[in-house]
Amino acid sequence: MHTKSEMNEDYIKTVNKILSYIDENLDADFSLETIAKITFYSPFHLHRIFKAITNETLNAYIIRKRIERAAIQLIHKRMMTIAEIALNNGFNSNASFTRSFHKLYGKSPTDFRKTYSDKNSKISKIDSKKGKVNFITEEYICNINNHKNWIKMNAKIEIKEMPKIELAYITQIGVKDLENTFERLIKWARPKGLLKSNEPNVVRIFHDSFKFTDEEKVRMSIGVILKNRISTDGEVGLTIIEGGKYVVGHFEIEHKDFEKSWNSLFIWMNEHGYKKSDKHPYEMYYNNFNNHPEKKSIVDFCIPIE
């Protein structure tokens, strides 16, 4: 008979499996019943588990992910029609797509595309209280040069072919208790000898963008780099970052400067004519900032490009 702790671990593994499945099949026509079949739980039980762990119903999560991906495509794939984007993201009609889009962003897809241009998308933000995009302001435009100067002063930037990376990871949804998740992963990894000195050890993958997703719903994977495949337990799972071409910015910065550094790196990428690919950006840490004399993180910001 399973203990309560073992049952919780099973639930977390199940939800992690679902999240990965949705990421890989976002344009597919699937339902709660379809996903329940791959988890061996009843639809009713799966619905309760998913909402308890993610704080969203499965259907709401799928619709939100599709709309957020559609928003990105409206900006970055301007050759695609709105009808093509709707179909590409699992919507059978423009009407249902437009209703769902307006509910999340407060604008129709057409108005969103007109207002939110590719040029300024790198420096706009999400309003975490309303879940809506804050469109570009004059103040932000005036700050572009500040971002460029920040990059010159604080980053070494390279275009690199990054290798495939295997990770043992914990899922983190939202920014609340983020530091605690890092601490749990380190506590799990240290006795297994997975933390090597003078090497990058810990990675944070961003499955969502803070520009398009409420910060309370942004999904991240906090992982430790594996040299060899190992067995995991509890809430810790296994995943892979695929190799490929990346813009890599190397920083030594305080925590308060992370957002500014990411914004600056995206501006640099845009100014130099690179386009982000469909892979996920990530951070690769070289130290524990608590051990740094100035409490700074030595970190690479990695943006996948086409």
Side-chain angles (χ1 to χ4, degrees):
M1 186 173 180
H2 291 298
T3 65
K4 183 177 180 181
S5 175
E6 288 171 335
M7 289 294 287
N8 288 339
E9 292 171 4
D10 286 343
Y11 294 162
I12 291 170
K13 289 177 181 177
T14 296
V15 170
N16 282 341
K17 184 177 180 180
I18 293 169
L19 294 173
S20 295
Y21 179 83
I22 292 171
D23 274 356
E24 294 166 7
N25 300 278
L26 200 53
D27 55 350
D29 182 17
F30 50 71
S31 62
L32 176 61
E33 288 74 19
T34 304
I35 296 177
K37 288 178 181 178
I38 70 170
T39 64
F40 304 106
Y41 285 112
S42 70
F44 175 77
H45 194 42
L46 180 60
H47 174 85
R48 294 182 62 187
I49 293 169
F50 190 89
K51 186 173 183 181
I53 292 177
T54 67
N55 205 32
E56 284 186 277
T57 66
L58 183 58
N59 187 56
Y61 178 84
I62 292 168
I63 291 174
R64 176 176 63 79
K65 291 288 288 185
R66 286 173 169 170
I67 290 296
E68 288 168 355
R69 189 175 74 167
I72 293 170
Q73 291 173 350
L74 284 166
I75 294 169
H76 298 299
K77 298 187 182 295
R78 305 187 78 82
M79 72 296 296
M80 293 179 68
T81 67
I82 290 175
E84 287 172 334
I85 289 173
L87 189 62
N88 190 51
N89 287 283
F91 290 91
N92 294 323
S93 73
N94 279 352
S96 63
F97 173 59
T98 299
R99 282 196 303 270
S100 297
F101 195 95
H102 191 279
K103 185 176 180 181
L104 185 61
Y105 289 118
K107 285 181 177 286
S108 70
T110 300
D111 288 342
F112 183 93
R113 173 171 266 178
K114 288 177 181 177
T115 309
Y116 198 43
S117 72
D118 183 67
K119 183 177 179 181
N120 62 37
S121 70
K122 305 301 182 294
I123 55 173
S124 200
K125 299 176 67 180
I126 208 81
D127 184 329
S128 62
K129 293 182 180 179
K130 298 179 181 178
K132 305 289 193 298
V133 168
N134 283 335
F135 295 98
I136 212 69
T137 64
E138 286 187 22
E139 180 184 356
Y140 247 88
I141 293 173
C142 291
N143 281 336
I144 290 178
N145 286 334
N146 290 336
H147 283 286
K148 292 179 181 177
N149 290 334
W150 174 261
I151 278 288
K152 288 179 182 178
M153 294 175 62
N154 293 279
K156 175 185 176 183
I157 302 176
E158 299 177 90
I159 306 301
K160 296 177 66 174
E161 193 72 26
M162 297 295 285
K164 181 177 78 172
I165 301 173
E166 296 193 12
L167 300 171
Y169 78 101
I170 298 175
T171 293
Q172 169 71 21
I173 297 177
V175 297
K176 185 178 179 181
D177 295 327
L178 178 60
E179 188 172 341
N180 179 261
T181 302
F182 275 96
E183 290 173 356
R184 295 202 312 276
L185 181 70
I186 297 300
K187 184 178 179 180
W188 176 87
R190 182 170 286 119
K192 295 174 173 58
L194 299 177
L195 304 179
K196 309 295 182 182
S197 59
N198 302 318
E199 291 184 24
N201 290 297
V202 176
V203 167
R204 173 164 59 156
I205 306 170
F206 296 93
H207 300 277
D208 300 304
S209 168
F210 284 95
K211 292 180 293 183
F212 296 96
T213 304
D214 189 317
E215 67 176 21
E216 296 174 358
K217 296 178 180 178
V218 168
R219 179 164 68 93
M220 296 163 272
S221 293
I222 314 301
V224 60
I225 297 173
L226 302 176
K227 300 297 183 183
N228 301 292
R229 182 62 68 96
I230 65 169
S231 297
T232 58
D233 50 46
E235 64 179 328
V236 182
L238 295 173
T239 192
I240 291 174
I241 299 175
E242 295 294 343
K245 193 175 181 181
Y246 284 76
V247 173
V248 180
H250 184 72
F251 295 87
E252 187 169 347
I253 50 175
E254 297 178 58
H255 178 76
K256 66 180 179 64
D257 293 323
F258 269 53
E259 180 182 356
K260 185 175 184 178
S261 297
W262 270 115
N263 287 336
S264 299
L265 190 60
F266 271 107
I267 290 171
W268 185 96
M269 181 187 74
N270 190 53
E271 292 282 325
H272 287 77
Y274 295 105
K275 293 287 186 180
K276 181 185 172 300
S277 74
D278 290 334
K279 298 176 185 176
H280 302 305
Y282 62 91
E283 298 166 349
M284 181 181 292
Y285 296 86
Y286 289 79
N287 75 320
N288 181 338
F289 76 92
N290 286 314
N291 298 329
H292 191 285
E294 299 178 64
K295 300 295 182 183
K296 291 184 175 181
S297 293
I298 302 172
V299 57
D300 285 346
F301 290 0
C302 304
I303 305 173
I305 54 177
E306 295 176 350

